Amino acid sequence: TRSIRIAAAQVGAVHLEDTRSHTLKRLINLLEQAVEKGAQVVLFPECTFTTFFPRHLFADEVVLESFFERGDITTAENTRGIFDRAKELSIDICIGFAEAADNGEHYNACVYYHAKTASILSKYRKIHLPGDFEPFPEPDAVNQLEKRYFKPGNLGFNAFRVPDLVEPSAENGEPIFGMMICNDRRWAESWRCLGLQGVEVVLTGYNTPGWAPQMWGSSSDQDPKDAREEAIFHHKLVMQAHSYTNACFSVSAARCGLDDGKYDLVGGSTIVGPDGKIIAEAKTEEDEVIIANCDLDLCSPSKKRTFDFGRHRRVEHYSLLTSQ
Ligand code: ING
């Protein structure tokens, strides 16, 4: 079979004042837990080396730049530790970070690191940036300033084959992975771009507020408990629906918990099968590893029948999708 043991490393609260080394140690600890559970691949959340800083407005450029990684993330001071440990443990990781790119632009990025060759197989830069450029006028608003701090990704949605995870002689060949980040998962286009490349596993890290009425455009007299439950419902809804309609597994890893005791991020890390059913999900909103055996050949029946894109899709009727 082409079964892979894939884990999601959910990361609990990360505070503005937490040191880089403290947070990195937590990530390495999660990696080691995943290895103990037999994981071959571990997904980490979006922007996971620091607190989710796009919720803040920074006047000081130097402070803002401190949240970004520059140069080779596998050898940079603040981040190399997780890649060195992944190499030692021979486990692949997908991990999100804020990228200060060589072209002078800033992106919300993630990489797939292949332990056996100690190399980055693929990099993705978040295309759908939610929220706003300017903060809301209300002083107590929960802001989301990704449009201020990042440029839309310029690498597209690229599926890629990962060597050394299954028997090379297996009929359907090496597993086909794809990556997206947080808000991307709410847009069917992200998934279909990967689905059309035959993707079998979609990896998605996320930071999703449990309470952000201004950003949602909902009235702030909404019951916070209901709002939080709805945020988790919508997260699972899109992971399940798009896994089903693209006949692929999906893995999601939350940055969650109460950053700085006040900024609420929801958990709900999941592993979903090609039938859209949840096969593993986090029980806490803390650091937690979830894991599942993903038999990729379970995607085939749906890719060959119900969602055989070649036989059933009628692209001559879809021009609106790329013209506006
Ligand atoms: N966070 C949120 C997300 O897409 C959001 C932003 C939440 C947008 C809810 C709309 C509704 O999960 C990030 N980082 O994209």
Side-chain angles (χ1 to χ4, degrees), residues 46 52 108 126 128 130 144 146 181-183 185-186 206-209 215-216:
E46 165 193 34
F52 191 65
N108 185 340
K126 184 175 184 178
H128 299 93
Q144 172 85 270
E146 294 192 55
I181 297 175
C182 201
N183 198 251
R185 75 194 188 287
R186 300 181 194 280
Y206 65 98
N207 288 257
T208 297
M215 187 167 73
W216 300 330

mmCIF file of all heavy atoms in Angstrom, residues 46 52 108 126 128 130 144 146 181-183 185-186 206-209 215-216, ligand 1:
data_model
loop_
_atom_site.group_PDB
_atom_site.id
_atom_site.type_symbol
_atom_site.label_atom_id
_atom_site.label_comp_id
_atom_site.label_asym_id
_atom_site.label_seq_id
_atom_site.Cartn_x
_atom_site.Cartn_y
_atom_site.Cartn_z
ATOM 1 N N GLU A 46 0.888 27.828 10.719
ATOM 2 C CA GLU A 46 1.262 29.071 10.046
ATOM 3 C C GLU A 46 2.018 29.966 11.041
ATOM 4 O O GLU A 46 1.653 30.004 12.237
ATOM 5 C CB GLU A 46 -0.017 29.765 9.591
ATOM 6 C CG GLU A 46 0.086 31.207 9.179
ATOM 7 C CD GLU A 46 -1.304 31.866 9.053
ATOM 8 O OE1 GLU A 46 -2.213 31.508 9.825
ATOM 9 O OE2 GLU A 46 -1.458 32.723 8.154
ATOM 10 N N PHE A 52 1.186 35.324 16.779
ATOM 11 C CA PHE A 52 0.600 35.728 15.501
ATOM 12 C C PHE A 52 0.591 37.249 15.438
ATOM 13 O O PHE A 52 -0.403 37.915 15.732
ATOM 14 C CB PHE A 52 -0.806 35.146 15.318
ATOM 15 C CG PHE A 52 -1.309 35.334 13.915
ATOM 16 C CD1 PHE A 52 -0.674 34.706 12.851
ATOM 17 C CD2 PHE A 52 -2.373 36.172 13.642
ATOM 18 C CE1 PHE A 52 -1.113 34.898 11.539
ATOM 19 C CE2 PHE A 52 -2.814 36.376 12.334
ATOM 20 C CZ PHE A 52 -2.185 35.736 11.288
ATOM 21 N N ASN A 108 3.811 35.492 3.754
ATOM 22 C CA ASN A 108 3.399 34.535 4.772
ATOM 23 C C ASN A 108 3.637 33.169 4.120
ATOM 24 O O ASN A 108 2.911 32.796 3.198
ATOM 25 C CB ASN A 108 1.904 34.753 5.096
ATOM 26 C CG ASN A 108 1.438 33.886 6.238
ATOM 27 O OD1 ASN A 108 2.071 32.881 6.551
ATOM 28 N ND2 ASN A 108 0.333 34.253 6.856
ATOM 29 N N LYS A 126 1.523 32.372 0.915
ATOM 30 C CA LYS A 126 0.070 32.516 1.065
ATOM 31 C C LYS A 126 -0.505 33.507 0.059
ATOM 32 O O LYS A 126 -0.047 34.648 -0.030
ATOM 33 C CB LYS A 126 -0.232 33.000 2.483
ATOM 34 C CG LYS A 126 -1.704 33.102 2.841
ATOM 35 C CD LYS A 126 -1.817 33.482 4.307
ATOM 36 C CE LYS A 126 -3.244 33.518 4.782
ATOM 37 N NZ LYS A 126 -3.289 33.851 6.249
ATOM 38 N N HIS A 128 -4.152 34.050 -0.451
ATOM 39 C CA HIS A 128 -5.338 34.766 0.049
ATOM 40 C C HIS A 128 -5.019 35.392 1.407
ATOM 41 O O HIS A 128 -4.965 34.687 2.423
ATOM 42 C CB HIS A 128 -6.511 33.795 0.167
ATOM 43 C CG HIS A 128 -6.892 33.174 -1.150
ATOM 44 N ND1 HIS A 128 -6.384 31.963 -1.572
ATOM 45 C CD2 HIS A 128 -7.671 33.626 -2.167
ATOM 46 C CE1 HIS A 128 -6.867 31.675 -2.782
ATOM 47 N NE2 HIS A 128 -7.649 32.680 -3.173
ATOM 48 N N PRO A 130 -6.247 37.591 4.351
ATOM 49 C CA PRO A 130 -7.504 38.105 4.913
ATOM 50 C C PRO A 130 -7.286 39.444 5.599
ATOM 51 O O PRO A 130 -6.153 39.890 5.761
ATOM 52 C CB PRO A 130 -7.865 37.029 5.943
ATOM 53 C CG PRO A 130 -6.540 36.577 6.448
ATOM 54 C CD PRO A 130 -5.612 36.616 5.251
ATOM 55 N N GLN A 144 -6.523 42.118 11.905
ATOM 56 C CA GLN A 144 -5.850 41.103 11.076
ATOM 57 C C GLN A 144 -5.167 41.878 9.953
ATOM 58 O O GLN A 144 -5.819 42.235 8.974
ATOM 59 C CB GLN A 144 -6.916 40.145 10.536
ATOM 60 C CG GLN A 144 -6.442 39.140 9.516
ATOM 61 C CD GLN A 144 -5.851 37.905 10.139
ATOM 62 O OE1 GLN A 144 -4.650 37.871 10.385
ATOM 63 N NE2 GLN A 144 -6.661 36.907 10.407
ATOM 64 N N GLU A 146 -2.694 41.291 7.788
ATOM 65 C CA GLU A 146 -1.808 40.574 6.853
ATOM 66 C C GLU A 146 -1.614 41.343 5.555
ATOM 67 O O GLU A 146 -0.559 41.245 4.937
ATOM 68 C CB GLU A 146 -2.366 39.179 6.586
ATOM 69 C CG GLU A 146 -2.360 38.286 7.820
ATOM 70 C CD GLU A 146 -2.632 36.843 7.491
ATOM 71 O OE1 GLU A 146 -1.928 36.274 6.650
ATOM 72 O OE2 GLU A 146 -3.561 36.263 8.065
ATOM 73 N N ILE A 181 -2.141 27.923 3.118
ATOM 74 C CA ILE A 181 -2.011 28.521 4.455
ATOM 75 C C ILE A 181 -3.318 29.189 4.861
ATOM 76 O O ILE A 181 -3.822 30.051 4.159
ATOM 77 C CB ILE A 181 -0.866 29.556 4.488
ATOM 78 C CG1 ILE A 181 0.480 28.875 4.191
ATOM 79 C CG2 ILE A 181 -0.801 30.271 5.844
ATOM 80 C CD1 ILE A 181 1.664 29.828 4.093
ATOM 81 N N CYS A 182 -3.850 28.743 5.981
ATOM 82 C CA CYS A 182 -4.941 29.377 6.706
ATOM 83 C C CYS A 182 -6.111 29.837 5.836
ATOM 84 O O CYS A 182 -6.892 29.034 5.386
ATOM 85 C CB CYS A 182 -4.394 30.522 7.547
ATOM 86 S SG CYS A 182 -5.515 30.919 8.861
ATOM 87 N N ASN A 183 -6.180 31.145 5.537
ATOM 88 C CA ASN A 183 -7.338 31.656 4.793
ATOM 89 C C ASN A 183 -7.496 31.004 3.424
ATOM 90 O O ASN A 183 -8.629 30.895 2.931
ATOM 91 C CB ASN A 183 -7.205 33.181 4.642
ATOM 92 C CG ASN A 183 -8.532 33.814 4.286
ATOM 93 O OD1 ASN A 183 -8.729 34.272 3.167
ATOM 94 N ND2 ASN A 183 -9.473 33.810 5.228
ATOM 95 N N ARG A 185 -7.642 28.095 2.706
ATOM 96 C CA ARG A 185 -8.516 26.896 2.794
ATOM 97 C C ARG A 185 -9.981 27.264 2.599
ATOM 98 O O ARG A 185 -10.814 26.392 2.342
ATOM 99 C CB ARG A 185 -8.296 26.162 4.109
ATOM 100 C CG ARG A 185 -8.897 26.792 5.369
ATOM 101 C CD ARG A 185 -8.327 26.167 6.617
ATOM 102 N NE ARG A 185 -8.903 26.517 7.905
ATOM 103 C CZ ARG A 185 -8.743 27.682 8.524
ATOM 104 N NH1 ARG A 185 -8.052 28.667 7.915
ATOM 105 N NH2 ARG A 185 -9.261 27.914 9.698
ATOM 106 N N ARG A 186 -10.314 28.557 2.732
ATOM 107 C CA ARG A 186 -11.711 29.003 2.582
ATOM 108 C C ARG A 186 -12.068 29.266 1.116
ATOM 109 O O ARG A 186 -13.224 29.559 0.807
ATOM 110 C CB ARG A 186 -11.938 30.283 3.394
ATOM 111 C CG ARG A 186 -11.690 30.119 4.877
ATOM 112 C CD ARG A 186 -11.953 31.399 5.644
ATOM 113 N NE ARG A 186 -11.409 31.313 6.978
ATOM 114 C CZ ARG A 186 -12.011 30.693 7.981
ATOM 115 N NH1 ARG A 186 -13.197 30.158 7.818
ATOM 116 N NH2 ARG A 186 -11.426 30.614 9.163
ATOM 117 N N TYR A 206 -2.702 27.053 10.318
ATOM 118 C CA TYR A 206 -3.620 28.192 10.444
ATOM 119 C C TYR A 206 -3.576 28.855 11.813
ATOM 120 O O TYR A 206 -3.160 28.243 12.793
ATOM 121 C CB TYR A 206 -5.058 27.771 10.097
ATOM 122 C CG TYR A 206 -5.707 26.757 11.029
ATOM 123 C CD1 TYR A 206 -6.568 27.169 12.053
ATOM 124 C CD2 TYR A 206 -5.482 25.395 10.873
ATOM 125 C CE1 TYR A 206 -7.184 26.242 12.888
ATOM 126 C CE2 TYR A 206 -6.092 24.465 11.711
ATOM 127 C CZ TYR A 206 -6.944 24.897 12.704
ATOM 128 O OH TYR A 206 -7.556 23.972 13.539
ATOM 129 N N ASN A 207 -3.990 30.143 11.814
ATOM 130 C CA ASN A 207 -4.229 30.948 13.020
ATOM 131 C C ASN A 207 -5.619 31.530 12.834
ATOM 132 O O ASN A 207 -5.772 32.468 12.025
ATOM 133 C CB ASN A 207 -3.251 32.118 13.123
ATOM 134 C CG ASN A 207 -1.839 31.717 13.458
ATOM 135 O OD1 ASN A 207 -1.404 31.869 14.582
ATOM 136 N ND2 ASN A 207 -1.092 31.224 12.480
ATOM 137 N N THR A 208 -6.615 31.004 13.529
ATOM 138 C CA THR A 208 -7.994 31.468 13.308
ATOM 139 C C THR A 208 -8.588 32.015 14.595
ATOM 140 O O THR A 208 -8.744 31.272 15.575
ATOM 141 C CB THR A 208 -8.838 30.312 12.753
ATOM 142 O OG1 THR A 208 -8.296 29.944 11.482
ATOM 143 C CG2 THR A 208 -10.292 30.709 12.586
ATOM 144 N N PRO A 209 -8.926 33.323 14.606
ATOM 145 C CA PRO A 209 -9.469 33.924 15.819
ATOM 146 C C PRO A 209 -10.819 33.322 16.188
ATOM 147 O O PRO A 209 -11.611 32.970 15.315
ATOM 148 C CB PRO A 209 -9.631 35.402 15.458
ATOM 149 C CG PRO A 209 -9.028 35.588 14.123
ATOM 150 C CD PRO A 209 -8.855 34.264 13.500
ATOM 151 N N MET A 215 -13.765 42.014 12.010
ATOM 152 C CA MET A 215 -13.218 41.390 10.792
ATOM 153 C C MET A 215 -14.294 40.584 10.083
ATOM 154 O O MET A 215 -14.369 40.540 8.868
ATOM 155 C CB MET A 215 -12.051 40.478 11.148
ATOM 156 C CG MET A 215 -11.337 39.951 9.921
ATOM 157 S SD MET A 215 -9.821 39.216 10.384
ATOM 158 C CE MET A 215 -10.456 37.735 11.136
ATOM 159 N N TRP A 216 -15.168 39.936 10.878
ATOM 160 C CA TRP A 216 -16.212 39.119 10.267
ATOM 161 C C TRP A 216 -17.347 39.966 9.732
ATOM 162 O O TRP A 216 -18.197 39.482 8.993
ATOM 163 C CB TRP A 216 -16.779 38.132 11.304
ATOM 164 C CG TRP A 216 -15.767 37.192 11.864
ATOM 165 C CD1 TRP A 216 -14.656 36.704 11.250
ATOM 166 C CD2 TRP A 216 -15.790 36.624 13.174
ATOM 167 N NE1 TRP A 216 -13.993 35.853 12.092
ATOM 168 C CE2 TRP A 216 -14.665 35.793 13.274
ATOM 169 C CE3 TRP A 216 -16.650 36.736 14.263
ATOM 170 C CZ2 TRP A 216 -14.384 35.060 14.420
ATOM 171 C CZ3 TRP A 216 -16.385 36.015 15.412
ATOM 172 C CH2 TRP A 216 -15.253 35.195 15.489
HETATM 173 N N1 ING B 1 -6.805 33.733 9.762
HETATM 174 C C1 ING B 1 -8.213 33.619 9.574
HETATM 175 C C2 ING B 1 -8.611 32.421 8.709
HETATM 176 O O1 ING B 1 -8.847 32.511 7.532
HETATM 177 C C3 ING B 1 -10.333 34.741 8.968
HETATM 178 C C4 ING B 1 -8.828 34.884 9.072
HETATM 179 C C5 ING B 1 -11.044 34.083 9.937
HETATM 180 C C6 ING B 1 -10.978 35.213 7.872
HETATM 181 C C7 ING B 1 -12.431 33.947 9.812
HETATM 182 C C8 ING B 1 -12.360 35.086 7.723
HETATM 183 C C9 ING B 1 -13.087 34.454 8.696
HETATM 184 O O2 ING B 1 -8.705 31.361 9.317
HETATM 185 C C10 ING B 1 -5.799 33.707 8.854
HETATM 186 N N2 ING B 1 -4.548 33.812 9.360
HETATM 187 O O3 ING B 1 -5.998 33.619 7.653
#
